[in-house]
Amino acid sequence: MLRVLAVDDEKPLLEELLYLLRSDPRVHSAEGASDATEALRRVTRALESGPDGPDGIDVVFLDIHMAGLTGLDIARLLAGFARPPLIVFVTAHEGFAVQAFDLKAVDYVLKPVRPERLAEAVRRACAQLGRAEEVPVAAAPPVGPPAVVAAPRTAPEAAVADRGPEQIAVELGGVTRFVAIADIAHVEAQGDYARLHTDEGSHLVRIPLSTLEERWAARGFVRIHRRHLVALARIDELRLESGTTTVRVGSAELQVSRRHARELRDLLMRHATG
């Protein structure tokens, strides 16, 4: 079972997070810290105690925007230790996902926190620690505490599902929007996430680029780089300059890797003459 530290400088949100964590049967203990100084003091004591000591911490659930040191700063400091605790970021801001996963975060949970989404983060932490067998199969996610209400947020929740063959559903802070696949010009990998680019904007979803590549191949999406998936029909220009191949998709200029360049040129020629 997990020993957890939750860090958030907004007291109502910290209390709600602790309530949900303590309600999870896979969590042995959950303590809270309201600022970076308190969090580092608590983690330092845990590291001095050792992984099996009475003050040990397995996972830190970290907010990102806090006074003084940010959650990212704390994660960087912890990464310098030989056996740091796992990190799960819990934030209202989707824009730090790439940095979070560069810091080897186990998960990136967006606020307002949904019990089932937090339960998935706990499952990931258990699996990474080799404690998946401790997860009760029939355990249901707890209902949030009635006395604590999180402030409404507008940041996109990193969750995604398909809605039939024509649309993809993206959850935005508890509101589900349906984006037509035909409106997506290109997709960019961002860690364990993918950013869908349309003419109106972009949407961050938690799904690997490789999965979208396989799922949308029949719709004319092609892989041009380890980070980019492009709708063939939306490519406006292919350019070869100084040994580097790029494509223009609307206002975006995307690099094409060497291993994909020849195949892409052939596909574009067939598409143009077909």
Side-chain angles (χ1 to χ4, degrees):
M1 298 178 71
L2 299 180
R3 297 161 299 174
V4 168
L5 176 68
V7 187
D8 197 313
D9 61 355
E10 296 184 60
K11 185 177 180 180
L13 299 183
L14 177 60
E15 290 176 349
E16 181 184 29
L17 181 58
L18 286 170
Y19 174 88
L20 294 173
L21 288 168
R22 288 166 180 165
S23 300
D24 194 306
R26 297 164 295 188
V27 175
H28 176 265
S29 62
E31 299 180 37
S34 58
D35 57 47
T37 301
E38 184 181 356
L40 287 172
R41 185 183 302 117
R42 179 64 186 84
V43 172
T44 299
R45 187 166 77 245
L47 292 171
E48 290 174 348
S49 173
D52 299 319
D55 295 320
I57 294 175
D58 300 307
V59 191
V60 180
F61 287 76
L62 266 177
D63 186 22
I64 287 184
H65 278 299
M66 296 185 291
L69 293 177
T70 68
L72 293 170
D73 293 330
I74 294 173
R76 291 188 186 99
L77 288 171
L78 295 183
F81 290 93
R83 298 183 65 180
L86 300 181
I87 299 293
V88 172
F89 286 103
V90 183
T91 177
H93 305 276
E94 53 131 342
F96 298 100
V98 174
Q99 296 179 59
F101 286 107
D102 284 345
L103 290 167
K104 311 301 182 186
V106 172
D107 209 344
Y108 192 91
V109 179
L110 285 164
K111 298 176 182 178
V113 177
R114 292 180 292 115
E116 63 272 21
R117 183 65 185 85
L118 188 65
E120 170 62 14
V122 171
R123 185 198 67 77
R124 290 169 182 263
C126 286
Q128 187 154 327
L129 290 168
R131 302 178 187 178
E133 70 278 0
E134 298 180 10
V135 182
V137 176
V143 177
V148 180
V149 180
R153 304 294 177 127
T154 58
E157 170 63 51
V160 63
D162 276 339
R163 187 200 191 193
E166 303 297 333
Q167 295 175 308
I168 187 167
V170 183
E171 189 169 319
L172 305 166
V175 178
T176 302
R177 286 192 56 195
F178 295 99
V179 178
I181 296 172
D183 291 341
I184 299 170
H186 64 99
V187 186
E188 178 185 3
Q190 294 190 345
D192 284 357
Y193 292 75
R195 185 172 291 279
L196 313 177
H197 291 270
T198 68
D199 293 338
E200 287 73 35
S202 66
H203 310 276
L204 190 70
V205 295
R206 188 182 182 88
I207 188 168
L209 193 67
S210 57
T211 299
L212 293 178
E213 178 186 11
E214 179 180 351
R215 191 177 294 176
W216 292 351
R219 296 181 171 277
F221 281 82
V222 295
R223 191 73 167 259
I224 65 168
H225 189 273
R226 63 183 178 84
R227 290 192 59 194
H228 299 296
L229 184 67
V230 175
L232 197 65
R234 301 294 292 269
I235 295 177
D236 300 312
E237 181 180 274
L238 175 72
R239 177 178 298 177
L240 177 61
E241 187 174 356
S242 301
T244 300
T245 303
T246 58
V247 293
R248 183 170 58 81
V249 182
S251 60
E253 185 172 315
L254 308 175
Q255 185 175 349
V256 181
S257 66
R258 290 184 180 181
R259 65 186 293 248
H260 292 104
R262 182 184 294 276
E263 180 184 2
L264 179 63
R265 286 195 296 270
D266 291 345
L267 286 171
L268 285 172
M269 289 299 295
R270 289 201 298 269
H271 182 76
T273 58

